[in-house]
Amino acid sequence: MQSPRTLILFTSAFPFGRGETYLESEFPYLSSSFERVFIVSNNLNAIQTRSVPKHVKIIRYRYNTSFLWKLLSVLNIFFLLGEIRFIVKNSIRLNKPVLTTMFASFAKTLEVNYFLKRLTKKNKIDLKNLTLYSYWMNDMASGIALFKHNNPEVKAICRAHRWDIYFEIHQPPYLPLRNFILDNLDGCFCISEDGKKYISSLTSKPNNQIFLSQLGTFSNKKQLHHNESNKFTIVSCSNLIKVKRVSLIILSLAKVSGIEIRWLHFGDGPLAKELKELAETKMGKNPLVTFEFKGHFTNAELIDYYNTNSFDLFINVSESEGLPVSIMEAMSFGIPVIATNVGGVSEIVEHEKNGILLDKNCTPNEIAAAITTFLNLSVEERTKYSEYAYNTWYEKFNAEKNYKEFVESVLSL
């Protein structure tokens, strides 16, 4: 009798809390392709917010590692000589923060490898029918890379998004064990072409295991414009954190005049109070501008809101992105987009076709000018932008198509 096909999936939060909402769309395709599934989540405290099938077992597993494993990582210094050469070759300063990051990451790598030894033995998992999958290119990915190194019959993959790709957004500007991960995994699936190129540049040899696998959203009611009211309605959706630069949206809207504007923002975060105060200061006395911070919405609640309301424009002015699911969701309803040209954003926003691309360092005046451009479009021109936005989503970011292809790619490795 053939042993069951087994998947061990490492996540940061899923199925707990609010994080990794986009994994909700992918997971049904994954779970239905394996007889046994283990989700290993690094979230230790939040309640379970997403349901999973009966054949899925959930394990909570802390991300931080113990002193013992940190000591063992230092004792394995010879294993890390290749990593040190990589650091020097890429002109990364070999200082205490970099070395601390390297040893801490390798400590977790060793621990994850040991964790997998115990998990597979305890559950009598046939390694020949086992797929290991880290949803992020992090220490879980290097841990499964080490397990794969020691057990070549196992299939092992990871995804790569944004923070787990780009060195320069970190302090120190370094992500550990990239070459080790790439050398040992069967596949690294990047959500953007920009991310794929970046990761490929880290290895000095051809790597046929780096793939493009875009995320996606499900089919929604096709809203091809238009808002019937006289108000020009703008929507944005992100966590209220520094990298998302929601303050730039506020400052730019304060500079637009001559038409009634309604702005809604979905998402919460540590800057909520500060940004609400800024919005009140800059726009509160302007009778032509109304705004509302809607707070946290689940993905299902947000889609339902898009289904029952009309929007003229979506704005995202982040200073760093992978390839935003929030833009995919907006375009699935035919909403054109203004966005900064960072990460893989240009792979979804086509300038003056389905939106406007702005420089990463754009000013409030430049954002206001882009908004004014949309204000001045005729109904016919807005409809063309709207149709192009919907068609972009349908052809490139349709979840049913993208996740089926992803699972097929994984199973064929």
Side-chain angles (χ1 to χ4, degrees):
M1 181 177 176
Q2 186 176 5
S3 59
R5 181 185 284 166
T6 303
L7 171 71
I8 300 176
L9 168 65
F10 286 86
T11 72
S12 176
F14 184 88
F16 303 105
R18 298 178 179 179
E20 296 167 324
T21 55
Y22 24 87
L23 184 51
E24 293 176 20
S25 301
E26 177 183 317
F27 188 71
Y29 295 93
L30 277 172
S31 60
S32 64
S33 300
F34 292 87
E35 285 82 41
R36 300 177 77 190
V37 178
F38 297 81
I39 299 177
V40 182
S41 174
N42 296 139
N43 187 301
L44 303 183
N45 302 310
I47 62 171
Q48 184 173 336
T49 51
R50 278 70 66 96
S51 60
V52 297
K54 291 182 178 180
H55 70 289
V56 177
K57 181 177 180 180
I58 302 169
I59 301 169
R60 292 194 193 251
Y61 178 57
R62 73 189 188 286
Y63 197 95
N64 295 330
T65 194
S66 67
F67 173 78
L68 174 62
W69 290 106
K70 291 177 181 177
L71 178 61
L72 288 173
S73 73
V74 176
L75 296 176
N76 280 271
I77 183 63
F78 289 107
F79 185 89
L80 292 169
L81 290 178
E83 181 69 6
I84 292 172
R85 285 192 291 270
F86 170 82
I87 292 169
V88 173
K89 180 182 176 182
N90 285 276
S91 301
I92 300 169
R93 190 177 175 189
L94 194 63
N95 54 19
K96 183 178 178 181
V98 167
L99 288 172
T100 300
T101 301
M102 180 187 73
F103 281 117
S105 179
F106 188 57
K108 195 61 186 181
T109 298
L110 294 172
E111 185 188 314
V112 171
N113 176 62
Y114 179 69
F115 168 84
L116 285 170
K117 284 182 182 178
R118 294 177 61 197
L119 180 65
T120 53
K121 183 177 181 180
K122 178 181 177 181
N123 291 278
K124 299 179 180 178
I125 296 172
D126 181 2
L127 299 187
K128 292 180 181 178
N129 281 312
L130 171 63
T131 298
L132 301 173
Y133 174 19
S134 174
Y135 196 66
W136 305 92
M137 196 178 186
N138 57 8
D139 294 344
M140 304 300 112
S142 54
I144 69 174
L146 181 57
F147 190 82
K148 163 75 177 181
H149 178 79
N150 296 328
N151 303 276
E153 67 271 34
V154 169
K155 189 179 296 182
I157 64 166
C158 74
R159 270 201 187 270
H161 300 256
R162 180 191 68 87
W163 69 263
D164 51 348
I165 294 177
Y166 303 104
F167 283 27
E168 60 271 13
I169 66 174
H170 294 272
Q171 194 56 245
Y174 163 66
L175 289 168
L177 303 175
R178 303 294 99 170
N179 269 341
F180 180 73
I181 293 172
L182 295 173
D183 285 346
N184 288 282
L185 293 190
D186 296 291
C188 174
F189 292 83
C190 304
I191 69 165
S192 71
E193 189 64 47
D194 186 78
K196 179 185 174 185
K197 289 177 181 176
Y198 189 100
I199 289 177
S200 297
S201 71
L202 299 177
T203 178
S204 58
K205 57 187 177 183
N207 194 311
N208 298 323
Q209 285 76 47
I210 305 174
F211 307 103
L212 172 66
S213 179
Q214 292 164 324
L215 304 180
T217 60
F218 284 108
S219 178
N220 302 300
K221 185 181 76 174
K222 185 178 178 183
Q223 174 205 303
L224 285 180
H225 201 60
H226 283 305
N227 200 346
E228 296 298 327
S229 72
N230 292 324
K231 285 187 179 181
F232 189 84
T233 306
I234 297 173
V235 62
S236 53
C237 178
S238 70
N239 291 327
L240 297 178
I241 54 178
K242 185 177 179 181
V243 69
K244 298 301 180 180
R245 299 195 298 192
V246 175
S247 60
L248 268 181
I249 300 177
I250 295 170
L251 296 175
S252 64
L253 289 174
K255 294 180 178 293
V256 180
S257 60
I259 189 172
E260 285 190 87
I261 292 177
R262 180 176 179 236
W263 170 50
L264 280 70
H265 182 86
F266 293 88
D268 206 349
L271 298 182
K273 183 175 183 294
E274 176 185 324
L275 290 168
K276 289 175 185 177
E277 290 174 352
L278 179 65
E280 190 62 43
T281 299
K282 295 295 181 181
M283 298 184 292
K285 296 180 181 179
N286 186 344
L288 292 179
V289 178
T290 59
F291 61 89
E292 186 176 354
F293 288 84
K294 302 292 288 184
H296 173 72
F297 269 46
T298 66
N299 185 255
E301 289 170 339
L302 178 63
I303 295 306
D304 184 61
Y305 200 95
Y306 280 164
N307 260 321
T308 53
N309 294 271
S310 296
F311 298 97
D312 296 286
L313 188 64
F314 183 94
I315 297 184
N316 180 315
V317 290
S318 296
E319 64 179 352
S320 177
E321 284 287 0
L323 208 164
V325 172
S326 61
I327 294 180
M328 298 176 200
E329 289 169 337
M331 286 193 177
S332 75
F333 289 94
I335 306 172
V337 175
I338 289 176
T340 39
N341 189 5
V342 294
V345 170
S346 63
E347 296 166 40
I348 183 169
V349 180
E350 296 185 51
H351 187 60
E352 296 184 345
K353 291 185 177 179
N354 57 20
I356 292 179
L357 277 175
L358 298 172
D359 185 78
K360 174 184 176 180
N361 299 313
C362 59
T363 65
N365 283 335
E366 290 168 331
I367 301 170
I371 295 171
T372 302
T373 295
F374 275 100
L375 290 173
N376 293 330
L377 292 176
S378 67
V379 172
E380 182 181 7
E381 289 171 323
R382 288 190 193 178
T383 300
K384 286 182 179 179
Y385 271 89
S386 184
E387 289 176 343
Y388 204 104
Y390 178 83
N391 289 335
T392 299
W393 167 81
Y394 185 81
E395 293 168 9
K396 298 175 67 176
F397 302 102
N398 187 320
E400 185 174 3
K401 169 179 170 291
N402 287 3
Y403 293 134
K404 280 183 178 178
E405 289 178 354
F406 169 70
V407 173
E408 288 170 1
S409 296
V410 172
L411 295 177
S412 66
L413 287 173

